[in-house]
Amino acid sequence: GENVEQHPSTLSVQEGDSAVIKCTYSDSASNYFPWYKQELGKGPQLIIDIRSNVGEKKDQRIAVTLNKTAKHFSLHITETQPEDSAVYFCAATTGNQFYFGTGTSLTVIP
Amino acid sequence: NAGVMQNPRHLVRRRGQEARLRCSPMKGHSHVYWYRQLPEEGLKFMVYLQKENIIDESGMPKERFSAEFPKEGPSILRIQQVVRGDSAAYFCASSPPGGSYNEQFFGPGTRLTVL
């Protein structure tokens, strides 16, 4: 089955700086890669996703890049704000079952 | 359009009791997924259901766990004879009918504590 690894497990940045979270996957058949943000006591919220036929996608301060050859994808958050502090999860799937990374706890220091 | 709803939000059970977790998918969604999240870990897939059908239960423990999604009403995740190791957050997600690559929208979760 698919194995998704996520790094780093914790990340602290100064407000206004950029944050980058990286994930690798093992199954070359995976074709959909969502990113979720989870705040304390809440369910994961989809923030951005990318499909295997695209190399990069951007939505305001958030961008995701995908390298199918190397089987890795990354989340980029620019101009970070304190409200970006949360746990971020990457996932990969070939269909309906999502395989999640272990999460990155992001802290944005005001 | 209300999101995915789960209840109860918090559930406390003693060892040996039964836990029933409910999930109402988003309006128009016919696919339901259950995930379990242990503290400090990512979400682990348990089961994928469509109305009246279990499509993939490869992540479900073989004993004590069952799930259903009846024609009417919410999806139910049932855990019989709970043990302390069942303490976790259980999340339900839903997606609309269609092919693969569907986005999954998550509910707020049920936090189960087994005493």
Side-chain angles (χ1 to χ4, degrees):
Chain A
E2 174 68 279
N3 181 43
V4 177
E5 295 190 356
Q6 183 172 346
H7 300 281
S9 57
T10 60
L11 179 61
S12 292
V13 299
Q14 292 288 333
E15 181 178 358
D17 287 350
S18 296
V20 180
I21 303 171
K22 299 181 179 181
C23 287
T24 61
Y25 61 99
S26 60
D27 189 346
S28 56
S30 288
N31 49 30
Y32 176 62
F33 307 90
W35 284 89
Y36 286 86
K37 175 183 180 182
Q38 186 176 27
E39 297 175 325
L40 194 63
K42 297 184 179 180
Q45 299 294 310
L46 179 68
I47 56 172
I48 197 167
D49 56 14
I50 192 166
R51 303 189 191 282
S52 58
N53 58 347
V54 176
E56 183 175 359
K57 183 176 178 180
K58 188 174 181 181
D59 182 4
Q60 299 184 346
R61 297 186 297 108
I62 296 174
V64 57
T65 59
L66 171 65
N67 183 325
K68 288 176 57 180
T69 303
K71 288 189 281 190
H72 67 71
F73 56 113
S74 301
L75 177 71
H76 304 253
I77 306 174
T78 58
E79 301 173 19
T80 53
Q81 301 168 2
E83 51 266 37
D84 294 330
S85 296
V87 179
Y88 292 80
F89 291 97
C90 63
T93 183
T94 59
N96 293 297
Q97 179 179 151
F98 282 16
Y99 296 87
F100 282 86
T102 49
T104 297
S105 178
L106 173 64
T107 301
V108 179
I109 304 166
Chain B
N1 185 11
V4 177
M5 303 186 68
Q6 290 186 249
N7 68 82
R9 295 292 310 277
H10 300 274
L11 182 61
V12 179
R13 286 286 179 267
R14 296 191 180 280
R15 281 178 297 172
Q17 291 184 321
E18 178 179 288
R20 281 187 177 235
L21 288 62
R22 295 174 184 77
C23 169
S24 296
M26 289 179 68
K27 186 176 181 181
H29 287 194
S30 57
H31 300 199
V32 166
Y33 316 80
W34 285 93
Y35 292 83
R36 176 165 62 179
Q37 185 177 34
L38 295 171
E40 309 298 323
E41 292 188 12
L43 291 84
K44 302 293 186 186
F45 169 81
M46 299 181 74
V47 62
Y48 161 43
L49 310 102
Q50 295 179 17
K51 285 284 187 180
E52 301 184 281
N53 283 304
I54 298 175
I55 307 301
D56 180 354
E57 57 181 348
S58 58
M60 286 275 275
K62 299 299 180 190
E63 298 179 349
R64 302 188 298 107
F65 285 73
S66 62
E68 63 177 8
F69 189 16
K71 185 177 181 181
E72 301 291 337
S75 174
I76 306 286
L77 179 67
R78 182 183 180 202
I79 311 172
Q80 295 178 290
Q81 299 175 326
V82 296
V83 300
R84 288 214 173 115
D86 296 334
S87 295
Y90 292 83
F91 290 96
C92 165
S94 73
S95 66
S100 300
Y101 326 135
N102 283 329
E103 300 170 354
Q104 294 185 13
F105 296 89
F106 282 81
T110 294
R111 280 148 186 85
L112 172 65
T113 301
V114 179
L115 301 177

